[in-house]
Amino acid sequence: MTTPPPYPGQQQPAPQGWPQRSFAPPQQFQAVPDSMLASQRSTRVPTRALVWGIVAIVVSTLPLLNWFTLAPGIVAIQYGIAARAQRLAGGGRAVWAIVLGALAILGSVGWIIVHFVAFVSLLGAGASTQY
């Protein structure tokens, strides 16, 4: 004859020759308030976002290198948004990273348009001359 399973909270008897084991009851976890975690929040992500934003804005001011500003600008915006979404410390740095990344992208797109228009006008001027 077999023994029925134990009721919840009741310990099951160990088979013959086996050591008796006791397990800890399951623990209940509660959310930690933000005030307790304020000192433990990481500042790496907002700092990394600000560095990418500074790199993007500096590269966007350099002639012909501003074509490559789109990538660091997008990375700065992504890191800045991630830092703001996670409510990490250094929220001001994250906001500045978003602003600098957006300005770098706008500047880069503006310079790309200027270069394209200048190139097309040079081609048009060269095609209209007759020899």
Side-chain angles (χ1 to χ4, degrees):
M1 178 189 262
T2 62
T3 59
Y7 291 108
Q10 188 180 30
Q11 195 171 10
Q12 185 175 5
Q16 287 287 341
W18 289 55
Q20 185 69 23
R21 290 181 151 184
S22 63
F23 296 99
Q27 296 180 355
Q28 298 294 323
F29 294 102
Q30 296 178 353
V32 178
D34 285 340
S35 61
M36 293 178 67
L37 292 177
S39 63
Q40 298 176 1
R41 291 186 183 152
S42 174
T43 59
R44 288 183 181 176
V45 176
T47 303
R48 192 173 294 147
L50 184 59
V51 168
W52 277 108
I54 291 170
V55 166
I57 201 73
V58 167
V59 172
S60 72
T61 61
L62 300 174
L64 298 179
L65 286 180
N66 53 19
W67 287 65
F68 303 106
T69 304
L70 296 175
I74 291 171
V75 170
I77 291 173
Q78 286 177 340
Y79 274 135
I81 290 173
R84 293 298 296 161
Q86 295 173 4
R87 293 184 293 169
L88 297 173
R93 284 179 272 184
V95 170
W96 273 107
I98 294 169
V99 169
L100 290 176
L103 287 175
I105 289 173
L106 288 175
S108 177
V109 168
W111 277 112
I112 289 171
I113 291 171
V114 167
H115 290 150
F116 182 74
V117 168
F119 182 70
V120 168
S121 67
L122 286 175
L123 285 179
S128 65
T129 58
Q130 295 179 358
Y131 294 103

